[in-house]
Amino acid sequence: MGLSVGIVGLPNVGKSTLFNAITRAGAEAANYPFCTIDPNVGVVHVPDPRLDALARMYNPQRVVPATVTFVDIAGLVRGASKGEGLGNKFLHHIREVDAIAHVVRCFEDPDITHVEGSVDPLRDIATINLELILADLETVERQLEKYAKAARTGNKEAQVIAGVAERLKAALEAEKPARTVPLESEEEQRAVHHMHLLTMKPVMYVANVGEADVANPEANPHYQKVAEVARAEGAEVVPICAKIEAELAELEPEERAEFLRELGLKESGLDRVIRTGYRLLGLITFLTAGENEVRAWTIRKGTRAPQAAGEIHSDMERGFIRAEVVSFDDLMAAGSMAAAREKGLVRLEGKDYVMQDGDVVYFRFNV
């Protein structure tokens, strides 16, 4: 499975600049609203030093990292839920991603126009969140209208859908996102899943700070406000400087590492955004390694071995026999798979084994 992240926010907050930086796709970034109408889509590799280490050990023909799909969605404006600024089209694009990266402007620059006339993160966040909530409220009201009559006649499925829709409607009318509504059964979870609600998606706030604040964003009062909102919502906040990320994207790996050191940063904004996305969605990585290929695979935390094998090929899940598993750290400490076997570090796991991040696995199967 892959991870898809929709980059949203008001116009001119740095969305397309960030997208350009992390994908090098050259999406148009201009100083006027709606320069991005159709969503730009870029697929980037997930940085994972474990792949490099395995490649040195196996010298494979190819190395295949995990990927993240970033979707640069045009800037939303007040009234988007009613179609303002091509809002309906933009909201449709958001429905199709796994998680939302809400870019918030936290820098002052008189040369870059703000659609609301001033920099105010709290107002900007409220504007975007309200539009998503209003769009979801319309969706939930349609569901209620569709299923309320059947629910009154005793239809069990309709009762589940109408019941959860009533609770969602109350929360949304109170300007609370759908994800704040507890779901009490698998049936309710399925019902809500099929509604494709925007505010059910996990959110990270990406605080776009100026160059002077990148090493110490906590000193930026705009960033502090975004962090407060994130804490109150139980969301995550990632400070980045889109302008610096754009500069990093033009450098070779060694130059990039040196530039980061000079800035006092341990990793790029891209790395932080990807790690946060994985954490939001409960994703982990397992690895396969051999002379032909070293590869990273993305699965949900809690996935059992047969289903992990199914990510490679459906036949492997169907004919699963067992998994030979060694942790990445144990393999590196042993120096080779043969040495790991001699030391008893390679385990034979069955159908009930729950995969762990960093497992290096060989699946045995028979179809």
Side-chain angles (χ1 to χ4, degrees), residues 150-151 153-163 187:
T153 64
N155 182 295
K156 297 295 185 184
E157 181 183 6
Q159 287 176 342
V160 170
I161 296 172
E187 289 79 7

Side-chain angles (χ1 to χ4, degrees), residues 292-332:
N292 290 330
E293 178 184 271
V294 166
R295 185 165 186 155
W297 304 86
T298 301
I299 54 173
R300 293 197 181 278
K301 192 179 295 183
T303 298
R304 297 187 187 277
Q307 288 68 52
E311 288 293 322
I312 301 174
H313 198 286
S314 58
D315 284 349
M316 296 177 72
E317 179 176 0
R318 188 157 51 93
F320 178 89
I321 298 173
R322 63 178 179 268
E324 297 181 10
V325 184
V326 60
S327 75
F328 171 81
D329 289 341
D330 284 347
L331 178 57
M332 289 299 107

Side-chain angles (χ1 to χ4, degrees), residues 122-142:
L122 297 184
R123 178 203 58 212
D124 294 354
I125 289 171
T127 296
I128 296 293
N129 286 349
L130 181 59
E131 294 307 321
L132 301 182
I133 283 169
L134 291 174
D136 279 353
L137 183 57
E138 187 176 327
T139 299
V140 167
E141 287 174 338
R142 284 200 302 268

Side-chain angles (χ1 to χ4, degrees), residues 22 38 44-45 79 109 115 154 156 177 199 211 239 338 354 361 364:
I22 61 182
D38 292 321
V44 298
H45 294 162
D109 188 335
V115 71
K156 297 295 185 184
T199 63
E211 294 173 83
V354 177
V361 191
R364 295 197 177 275

